[in-house]
């Protein structure tokens, strides 16, 4: 029987490190990130598996995942990680690499929201929530979505 070699590449990990300064190679798979992640059950690849896929240079598994787009940047995983790896920064870097490589986002509404938020920050230096949500609703074809919540937010801010 011949043993098949698994090709391993550090290129993705290096690209991520260059973009955000985080070293995915430090991960030793304790899974504390995944066990604390509030979004893990909706992800297709658990956060600790994303880290492993990066270590093995499995670009497709990382960049085509829903996970990198569903990450809410809540930083729970970062506070739990014994290696102090800033996982949300890694998720952001992976999103940007996917965009640069022309890989279609697996969760288009999240990509629309993300791009609009970045656009607002570039234009005004901050995110104006009500304006952002209005624009997001229009772009996604549901102008009245969460209108009751928007009115509540508007009232509590005024
Ligand atoms: S930052 Fe992202 S991956 Fe980490 S716990 Fe929050 S949602 Fe999960
Ligand atoms: S908590 Fe840190 S070390 Fe543990 S699996 Fe997650 S990224 Fe790796």
């Amino acid at each position: 029987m011949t043993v098949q070699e698994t090709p391993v590449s550090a290129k993705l990990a290096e690209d991520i490190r260059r973009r955000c300064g985080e070293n995915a190679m430090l991960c030793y798979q304790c899974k504390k990130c995944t066990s604390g992640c509030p979004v893990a059950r909706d992800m297709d690849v658990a956060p600790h598996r994303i880290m492993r896929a990066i270590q093995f240079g499995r670009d497709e598994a990382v960049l085509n995942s829903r996970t990198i787009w569903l990450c809410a940047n809540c930083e729970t995983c970062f506070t739990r990680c014994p290696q102090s790896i800033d996982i949300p920064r890694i998720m952001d870097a992976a999103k940007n690499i996917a965009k640069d490589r022309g890989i279609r986002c697996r969760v288009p509404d999240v990509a629309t929201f993300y791009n609009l938020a970045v656009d607002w920050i570039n234009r005004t230096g901050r995110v104006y929530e009500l304006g952002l949500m209005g624009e997001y609703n229009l772009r996604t074809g549901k102008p009245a979505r969460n209108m009751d919540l928007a009115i509540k937010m508007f009232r509590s801010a005024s």
Side-chain angles (χ1 to χ4, degrees), residues 33-34 36-40 43 47 67 70-78 80 86-89 91:
C33 48
T34 297
C37 174
V39 191
M43 293 171 167
T67 297
L70 287 178
C71 170
N73 282 62
C74 69
E75 301 200 342
T76 306
C77 52
F78 179 29
R80 291 168 63 90
D86 192 333
I87 298 150
R89 281 179 76 93
M91 299 285 191

Side-chain angles (χ1 to χ4, degrees), residues 21-94:
E22 293 301 313
N23 184 3
M25 293 301 188
L26 293 175
C27 169
Y28 57 75
Q29 293 293 290
C30 70
K31 299 187 190 171
K32 275 179 162 249
C33 48
T34 297
S35 58
C37 174
V39 191
R41 67 177 169 191
D42 293 315
M43 293 171 167
D44 52 352
V45 185
H48 73 284
R49 290 191 189 279
I50 288 282
M51 303 300 286
R52 193 51 125 195
I54 293 169
Q55 290 174 339
F56 277 82
R58 306 240 351 251
D59 297 33
E60 246 187 63
V62 177
L63 304 178
N64 286 312
S65 71
R66 289 165 51 84
T67 297
I68 58 174
W69 295 97
L70 287 178
C71 170
N73 282 62
C74 69
E75 301 200 342
T76 306
C77 52
F78 179 29
T79 58
R80 291 168 63 90
C81 177
Q83 293 290 74
S84 299
I85 303 169
D86 192 333
I87 298 150
R89 281 179 76 93
I90 289 181
M91 299 285 191
D92 276 344

Side-chain angles (χ1 to χ4, degrees), residues 2-17:
T2 53
V3 177
Q4 295 243 317
E5 278 186 23
T6 306
V8 174
S9 161
K11 279 193 185 150
L12 182 59
E14 279 163 14
D15 195 4
I16 286 172
R17 191 167 190 182

